[in-house]
Amino acid sequence: MTTLTFDSLNPATGEVVGSHPKQSADAVRESVGRAEQAATWWAGLAPAERRRRLLDYKAVLTQHLKELAGLVHDETGKPVGDATLEIVLAITHLDWAARNADRVLGRRRVSTGMIGFNLAATLEYLPLGVVGVIGPWNYPVFTPMGSIAYALAAGNAVVFKPSELTPGVGVRLAELFAESVPEQPVFQTVTGLGETGALLAKDPRVKKVAFTGSTATAKRVMAACAENLTPIVAECGGKDAFIVDADADLKAAADACLWGAMSNAGQTCVGVERVYVVDAVYETFMRELSDRVATVKAGEDYGPITMPGQLDIIRRHIDDATKSGKVVTGGPDSVRAPYVDPVIVEDVPEDSPAVREETFGPTITVRRTRDAQQALELANASAYGLAGTVFSGNARRAMELARLMRTGMTAVNSVISFAGVPALPFGGIGDSGFGRIHGADGLREFARPKAISRQRFAMPGMNLTSFSRGPKELERLIRLVTFLHGRRKR
Ligand code: NDP
């Protein structure tokens, strides 16, 4: 039988980077079957044993950092430096997940309260079994590793379906894992197109799906998962806002804004796409931004658009924005496939596609606002709710704005900084998805809470869960509950 294959291409040159099998339904089924067995073995290891192996995997990844960065560069076109940064972040997450899994998930006693004082209560978080990870191409190491590392550390086996644009990176991540864990296929990669991902999501032996990609595909994956009531964590796109308050450090804000918007050619789910600047500092901020953007070059400071089809969306948004707004930098000619030069447009109506839809390109819209409150209201008027940024000279005010931002994450006086803090959960609300990767929440996302209450001794005259219970016991219970909870506080 011949296996169909597909090629991954270097988006900058069109050269073939590698050829990979389009894995069939049988192949996916076999991988999940192997993963099921491996999951039992992996979950049966002592937490210290899993931790030791995961920390070894971390060391193997670190030793292959340059090779892996080269592969990420080849498959996505991003500069090697950016690929290196992405892998370093993934390594720090793997380290955190390995070191904290037992603390977060391990068995602990919890208080039983007065009514259950004859009980001992324990809580622990047990592995789910096989976790299916469906990953994107924009950060082919960092993003899937946010699920893979946390799922593995929580004691699950993982079957990973990388994007068809970055299969080589996905295959290498699993190969390197096998160097640290040769005994069982605890982490496997299956390659193919979207349908391979669909096969994985549909397999009833997959106990959770971690998906990163577009909102539209997340809905399809969720529909497939609904058949088996398989839970999913969905990390979808965003339309992240950047707020500049009157007392912000404008040089630092312009610098961060530009990097947040243009790095990785804007192909970042938590990239800056909308900028709101308060009236008092608007001109100065725009001067800072314009001066800086003149020095940023597509093809040097960032790579090409990885997914060719995205160019049409970017072009449509630029055309729309430049027709209805005022061009600061670039314009329709900025699209020079496969590259897109930086585009900044101001005064684009809030209801236009360039402001409402995810662009996923090196473009921003900028709007002047009366004050920070109006900036916040406009920032929050989005169907997405992934992340955002606040620049302000007043720490208290900045924290207040950050808390009121309707997103899963906010960076203050920095951009995207939350992604590098492993203890912070990562994920969004609304069209940006639900569930969390990273941090303690990310570990719990891939585990099921197991609650046990054990009776230590029988309570004389207080056996409430028996048909032998009489009116006296009920009377005692009412007296107790009145004593504990019956006083009003005004
Ligand atoms: P998709 O949502 O189409 O793909 C994401 C992943 O899902 C890929 O691995 C893809 O495989 C897989 N997939 C596709 N169809 C199915 C299916 N029916 N069942 C299961 N898995 C499936 O994103 P794209 O890569 O096409 O990008 C489109 C848009 O998504 C971008 O324009 C951007 O707006 C957004 N995006 C957001 C990301 C984020 O970080 N939040 C990351 C990437 C994209 P395959 O690649 O083989 O089709």
Side-chain angles (χ1 to χ4, degrees), residues 177-420:
F177 182 81
E179 286 190 18
S180 299
V181 187
E183 299 94 329
Q184 297 263 351
V186 174
F187 169 23
Q188 301 169 76
T189 292
V190 292
T191 55
L193 312 184
E195 67 219 34
T196 305
L199 290 167
L200 185 62
K202 263 190 241 156
D203 193 307
R205 295 165 301 170
V206 170
K207 297 301 175 206
K208 183 143 198 174
V209 170
F211 170 84
T212 309
S214 63
T215 308
T217 308
K219 289 178 186 174
R220 280 200 287 279
V221 172
M222 207 171 158
C225 286
E227 227 168 280
N228 300 305
L229 221 57
T230 308
I232 86 163
V233 41
E235 206 275 276
C236 309
K239 191 74 190 171
D240 291 358
F242 188 106
I243 295 177
V244 184
D245 203 355
D247 48 8
D249 175 340
L250 299 180
K251 285 186 195 312
D255 189 61
C257 178
L258 208 56
W259 192 84
M262 311 295 168
S263 63
N264 208 32
Q267 302 164 111
T268 304
C269 55
V270 289
V272 174
E273 298 217 356
R274 300 178 290 149
V275 183
Y276 298 105
V277 186
V278 303
D279 181 46
V281 293
Y282 189 82
E283 266 80 29
T284 321
F285 175 80
M286 290 308 284
R287 242 190 336 270
E288 293 288 347
L289 197 62
S290 308
D291 287 353
R292 278 176 176 73
V293 76
T295 66
V296 177
K297 300 266 176 289
E300 288 174 31
D301 299 297
Y302 59 80
I305 299 306
T306 306
M307 187 171 69
Q310 193 70 24
L311 284 163
D312 291 338
I313 298 174
I314 297 170
R315 196 178 285 115
R316 177 165 62 81
H317 286 190
I318 294 174
D319 286 352
D320 163 68
T322 50
K323 271 189 207 124
S324 55
K326 251 171 57 203
V327 170
V328 177
T329 306
D333 293 345
S334 301
V335 182
R336 306 178 284 113
Y339 294 98
V340 179
D341 291 318
V343 177
I344 302 176
V345 190
E346 53 188 355
D347 297 337
V348 182
E350 289 295 303
D351 59 356
S352 61
V355 178
R356 306 227 68 79
E357 298 170 13
E358 185 175 39
T359 308
F360 233 53
T363 68
I364 42 174
T365 59
V366 192
R367 168 161 291 268
R368 185 195 296 262
T369 65
R370 203 175 47 241
D371 51 22
Q373 182 57 34
Q374 191 193 13
L376 180 72
E377 282 162 20
L378 292 172
N380 285 349
S382 169
Y384 290 107
L386 192 54
T389 313
V390 173
F391 261 79
S392 169
N394 178 334
R396 230 167 89 195
R397 179 78 186 127
M399 285 303 287
E400 199 177 292
L401 288 167
R403 291 189 63 233
L404 292 170
M405 195 177 253
R406 191 190 145 274
T407 58
M409 296 130 338
T410 299
V412 173
N413 294 341
S414 57
V415 71
I416 317 183
S417 47
F418 44 79

Side-chain angles (χ1 to χ4, degrees), residues 61-207:
L61 283 181
T62 309
Q63 285 168 7
H64 287 80
L65 179 58
K66 285 191 177 164
E67 174 215 321
L68 212 48
L71 191 52
V72 171
H73 163 74
D74 288 346
E75 286 197 322
T76 65
K78 72 173 72 176
V80 172
D82 287 356
T84 305
L85 178 61
E86 157 183 0
I87 300 165
V88 168
L89 284 184
I91 287 168
T92 61
H93 277 280
L94 179 56
D95 182 66
W96 193 91
R99 291 185 192 282
N100 288 278
D102 194 38
R103 177 183 64 79
V104 173
L105 307 173
R107 191 180 314 159
R108 83 221 39 192
R109 285 182 75 138
V110 297
S111 162
T112 56
M114 275 296 268
I115 289 182
F117 91 93
N118 63 330
L119 301 173
T122 59
L123 168 64
E124 64 190 305
Y125 292 84
L126 300 176
L128 300 170
V130 180
V131 170
V133 175
I134 299 174
W137 42 265
N138 54 344
Y139 291 89
V141 175
F142 172 71
T143 301
M145 198 51 91
S147 298
I148 294 166
Y150 289 82
L152 290 171
N156 305 282
V158 168
V159 180
F160 171 39
K161 153 65 178 80
S163 162
E164 67 197 59
L165 302 179
T166 53
V169 175
V171 167
R172 199 68 188 123
L173 288 176
E175 280 173 359
L176 294 174
F177 182 81
E179 286 190 18
S180 299
V181 187
E183 299 94 329
Q184 297 263 351
V186 174
F187 169 23
Q188 301 169 76
T189 292
V190 292
T191 55
L193 312 184
E195 67 219 34
T196 305
L199 290 167
L200 185 62
K202 263 190 241 156
D203 193 307
R205 295 165 301 170
V206 170
K207 297 301 175 206

